[in-house]
Amino acid sequence: MSNSREGVLAQDRYTNREEAIQKLRDLMKGIKFCMLTTVDDDGFPRSRPMALQQTEFDGTLWFFTGKSTEKSSQIKHDQHVNITFADPGDHEYVSASGRAQLVDDRKKAEELWNPFYKAWFPQGVDDPDLTLIKVEIEQAEYWDSPNGAVTYLFGLVKAMATGQRATGIGDHEKLQLR
Amino acid sequence: MSNSREGVLAQDRYTNREEAIQKLRDLMKGIKFCMLTTVDDDGFPRSRPMALQQTEFDGTLWFFTGKSTEKSSQIKHDQHVNITFADPGDHEYVSASGRAQLVDDRKKAEELWNPFYKAWFPQGVDDPDLTLIKVEIEQAEYWDSPNGAVTYLFGLVKAMATGQRATGIGDHEKLQLR
């Protein structure tokens, strides 16, 4: 996969915010769980499966969590996070990086609420321990190919911040071979 | 999944190195790709799909890569890495953290070589850009449950280093509910 080191550089296909968001939105379709990676106090990336929001992606991802969880304390200590999801059957792999913060937003919680979350928060959005993790995605990459030979890369950070073409995100490692 | 905050604490089922390794080995069976997460110079965790070695896991994971890849430079800058793999069909999710280093070891490369890697290294183990990423796994967790309600946790770091029971790895977030 990303062992690739030869090939044609990926075209900057997603150079503006809306296109990049639309592409990520499409990639998320049908995905129920992702891995959320935080960085712990010892500097180790740590991952755990999280339910992926089932509302339309608009550049920000939201997760429910408990205030007292390890990931909450990691995010308070270090905002840098990564989200991955994969559909190994389709050989589709997505990695998105961004900054996370804990947000108490009752209205947003109601908007995102799904009976599925009752398993963790029996009291629903009124659960006093419930909080939201808000992740603003800054850059993302995806790979899709039966033979692992393809990479499309798109950077959101600059496009989102400035409306300009993202630069400095792609490198020779992220390749499009087909 | 790890949104869980109630339940019975996971038993320390894997308190010694051999049991933990055997469990991880079992979890890896049939898994062809994982996501390897490094930390970039800006502190963002960055992930990409990597072929998972098809030799038996003994506590150390090996990957082929190019010396000039972005991940190689990230590992030189920060050894902390995380590996995740998932079987969404079986609702199995594994996260393993450890320290990585780049190693030029021709003998090891030959041992791990698989024709599959020719797509990236047409010259095989003689490719001058080829190097190995060696990851010594220090801790790992897994989740498996159709309803995302289960966590088994096992820590390798202390068990591996000292032969003693791993402590301080589990917390209330990592739970066994079944």
Side-chain angles (χ1 to χ4, degrees):
Chain A
M1 313 287 288
S2 65
N3 305 55
S4 307
R5 62 194 184 82
E6 292 183 20
V8 180
L9 273 173
Q11 292 166 20
D12 285 300
R13 286 169 48 142
Y14 306 99
T15 51
N16 76 51
R17 173 184 163 86
E18 284 315 313
E19 283 174 357
I21 288 172
Q22 180 60 49
K23 182 64 200 176
L24 257 185
R25 194 184 292 151
D26 291 345
L27 288 164
M28 283 178 195
K29 288 231 166 82
I31 303 288
K32 293 209 171 68
F33 292 101
C34 63
M35 294 296 268
L36 170 67
T37 304
T38 50
V39 180
D40 75 12
D41 290 354
D42 296 321
F44 284 107
R46 298 278 296 273
S47 305
R48 75 285 293 161
M50 296 287 283
L52 193 63
Q53 70 187 35
Q54 294 304 300
T55 54
E56 288 229 321
F57 175 70
D58 63 0
T60 304
L61 280 174
W62 298 85
F63 302 94
F64 287 99
T65 192
K67 288 174 185 168
S68 51
T69 60
E70 198 178 47
K71 61 188 159 308
S72 291
S73 100
Q74 288 166 356
I75 286 168
K76 274 186 254 181
H77 182 260
D78 188 338
Q79 286 197 300
H80 299 90
V81 302
N82 181 251
I83 289 117
T84 60
F85 51 91
D87 185 340
D90 284 348
H91 299 274
E92 174 189 288
Y93 297 85
V94 178
S95 165
S97 294
R99 285 174 206 271
Q101 55 180 308
L102 302 180
V103 174
D104 287 327
D105 183 335
R106 163 83 192 222
K107 201 179 152 196
K108 192 72 193 174
E110 282 175 0
E111 182 192 326
L112 296 166
W113 186 258
N114 180 316
F116 170 79
Y117 296 114
K118 271 200 180 161
W120 298 288
F121 300 101
Q123 297 176 58
V125 293
D126 291 319
D127 195 302
D129 191 48
L130 182 145
T131 190
L132 293 168
I133 300 173
K134 178 184 185 179
V135 182
E136 297 187 75
I137 300 299
E138 300 193 2
Q139 54 191 39
E141 298 162 60
Y142 77 93
W143 296 257
D144 68 357
S145 162
N147 298 308
V150 173
T151 300
Y152 291 133
L153 168 73
F154 51 100
L156 290 179
V157 56
K158 294 195 179 178
M160 289 174 101
T162 65
Q164 292 175 354
R165 176 180 168 142
T167 54
I169 311 231
D171 74 347
H172 67 282
E173 192 192 344
K174 318 232 167 39
L175 301 170
Q176 180 180 341
L177 297 175
R178 101 181 146 186
Chain B
M1 313 286 289
S2 65
N3 305 55
S4 306
R5 59 191 187 87
E6 291 181 20
V8 180
L9 273 172
Q11 291 166 20
D12 285 301
R13 287 167 48 143
Y14 306 99
T15 51
N16 76 53
R17 175 184 163 86
E18 284 315 314
E19 283 173 357
I21 287 172
Q22 180 59 50
K23 183 63 203 176
L24 257 186
R25 194 183 291 151
D26 291 345
L27 288 164
M28 282 176 196
K29 288 228 167 85
I31 304 289
K32 293 209 170 68
F33 292 101
C34 64
M35 295 295 270
L36 170 66
T37 305
T38 50
V39 180
D40 74 13
D41 290 355
D42 295 321
F44 284 107
R46 298 278 296 271
S47 304
R48 75 286 291 161
M50 295 286 283
L52 192 62
Q53 69 186 37
Q54 295 302 301
T55 54
E56 289 229 320
F57 175 69
D58 64 0
T60 302
L61 280 174
W62 298 85
F63 302 93
F64 288 99
T65 192
K67 287 174 185 168
S68 52
T69 60
E70 196 178 48
K71 61 187 162 308
S72 291
S73 100
Q74 288 166 356
I75 286 167
K76 274 186 250 179
H77 182 259
D78 187 338
Q79 286 198 301
H80 299 91
V81 301
N82 181 250
I83 289 117
T84 60
F85 51 90
D87 186 339
D90 284 350
H91 298 275
E92 175 190 287
Y93 297 85
V94 179
S95 165
S97 295
R99 284 173 207 273
Q101 56 180 307
L102 302 181
V103 174
D104 286 325
D105 183 334
R106 163 85 194 220
K107 202 178 149 196
K108 192 72 193 173
E110 282 176 1
E111 182 192 326
L112 296 166
W113 186 258
N114 180 317
F116 170 79
Y117 296 116
K118 271 199 180 160
W120 298 289
F121 301 100
Q123 297 177 59
V125 294
D126 291 319
D127 194 300
D129 192 48
L130 181 145
T131 189
L132 293 168
I133 300 173
K134 177 185 186 180
V135 182
E136 297 187 73
I137 300 298
E138 299 194 2
Q139 54 192 38
E141 300 162 59
Y142 76 93
W143 296 257
D144 68 358
S145 161
N147 297 308
V150 173
T151 301
Y152 290 132
L153 170 72
F154 51 101
L156 290 179
V157 54
K158 294 196 178 175
M160 288 174 100
T162 65
Q164 291 175 353
R165 174 182 168 142
T167 55
I169 312 232
D171 73 347
H172 67 280
E173 191 194 344
K174 314 219 168 50
L175 302 171
Q176 178 178 345
L177 297 176
R178 94 178 155 191

